[in-house]
Amino acid sequence: NREATYQKIAEVFNEWLVEGTKKDDLVVFYFSGHGSRVKDVNGDEEDGLDEVLLPYDMVPDGGYHILIDDELGSWLSRLNGREVVAIADSCYSGGVARGIRGQTVSTLEETPGRHSRFIPITNYRPSPIALSTPKGPDVPGSVIFMAASREIESAQETNQPGRFYGAFTFGLYEGMKSLKTVSYNNLFEYAKKVVTDRFQLPQEPQIMAREDMLA
């Protein structure tokens, strides 16, 4: 919550994950919270939009203290040689790793039992990294990336029970408790079924990784 500021996330990522690990270590980056999209200003997105994660201290007017997909990709690229798993439970999180290709965005009306994890950004003022020359894919191919929704969809949080959880987060949590044998792939499939079959939410969780990495 309030400790998850942009600066703190950046510092801890460097201290715990980059400097605190070595080759062949398992490294996990997990974000559950709000997401958004902003105009792509360096020309590396087919749809003209960057997907962003929103730290606690982000400022909607101007887009200060946001974590755009380009920057997250540059952070993850510093973990070369580790086994890296990145999970994002936020709106448009599938687009953190790719563009939306001009499709219509799916939305869901908020009710007392479910809320969207989207916050709009107005009067966007791009950071230096958003303006920098693109250097390749947002997320390195060596990363196992799980997202709560496709790049054209909002992600939902549900009341389960007595407090709100990200629906995808809840599915992952339940899967880790329930599955006798856990692999990246069967954990993802369990969480996906919770989101799409049990909660019947109009969001489709995504997993992006080489097939040999999913055991």
Side-chain angles (χ1 to χ4, degrees):
N1 292 330
R2 69 182 60 217
E3 294 184 14
T5 63
Y6 170 84
Q7 187 61 38
K8 192 65 174 181
I9 292 172
E11 289 175 358
V12 171
F13 190 100
N14 184 62
E15 292 172 4
W16 284 13
L17 303 187
V18 178
E19 296 180 355
T21 65
K22 59 186 184 301
K23 183 180 179 181
D24 297 326
D25 281 350
L26 171 62
V27 175
V28 177
F29 174 82
Y30 186 92
F31 180 89
S32 180
H34 291 287
S36 193
R37 296 181 299 174
V38 295
K39 182 180 179 181
D40 168 43
V41 292
N42 67 358
D44 65 346
E45 300 282 357
E46 292 182 10
D47 62 343
L49 297 169
D50 278 321
E51 284 71 36
V52 299
L53 306 180
L54 304 181
Y56 187 86
D57 62 338
M58 66 81 58
V59 182
D61 185 9
Y64 301 108
H65 305 156
I66 63 176
L67 177 56
I68 67 171
D69 48 15
D70 305 68
E71 185 166 20
L72 178 59
S74 71
W75 291 4
L76 293 170
S77 67
R78 300 176 62 196
L79 298 170
N80 188 40
R82 287 81 155 177
E83 180 180 353
V84 182
V85 181
I87 301 172
D89 186 352
S90 59
C91 287
Y92 313 117
S93 47
V96 171
R98 56 185 177 178
I100 71 169
R101 299 183 298 279
Q103 301 180 56
T104 301
V105 173
S106 173
T107 60
L108 180 67
E109 182 180 356
E110 292 191 7
T111 72
R114 58 196 180 199
H115 296 158
S116 171
R117 313 200 95 185
F118 171 71
I119 294 178
I121 294 173
T122 57
N123 303 313
Y124 177 49
R125 295 173 177 82
S127 65
I129 193 161
L131 294 165
S132 64
T133 303
K135 299 178 175 63
D138 293 331
V139 174
S142 58
V143 174
I144 298 170
F145 183 79
M146 299 186 197
S149 65
R150 293 192 298 159
E151 61 272 29
I152 61 171
E153 297 167 337
S154 60
Q156 305 296 314
E157 52 184 21
T158 64
N159 198 339
Q160 298 293 322
R163 60 172 292 184
F164 278 90
Y165 294 85
F168 186 57
T169 293
F170 186 83
L172 292 172
Y173 167 72
E174 189 175 272
M176 286 188 285
K177 291 202 307 179
S178 303
L179 291 169
K180 293 182 179 179
T181 302
V182 178
S183 68
Y184 294 124
N185 197 53
N186 70 3
L187 177 59
F188 170 78
E189 290 297 333
Y190 186 101
K192 181 178 179 180
K193 287 182 179 179
V194 169
V195 171
T196 60
D197 296 349
R198 188 192 308 173
F199 296 154
Q200 297 185 335
L201 298 173
Q203 67 187 74
E204 184 179 350
Q206 304 288 299
I207 188 167
M208 288 155 264
R210 298 195 316 265
E211 188 172 346
D212 64 299
M213 299 169 63
L214 294 178

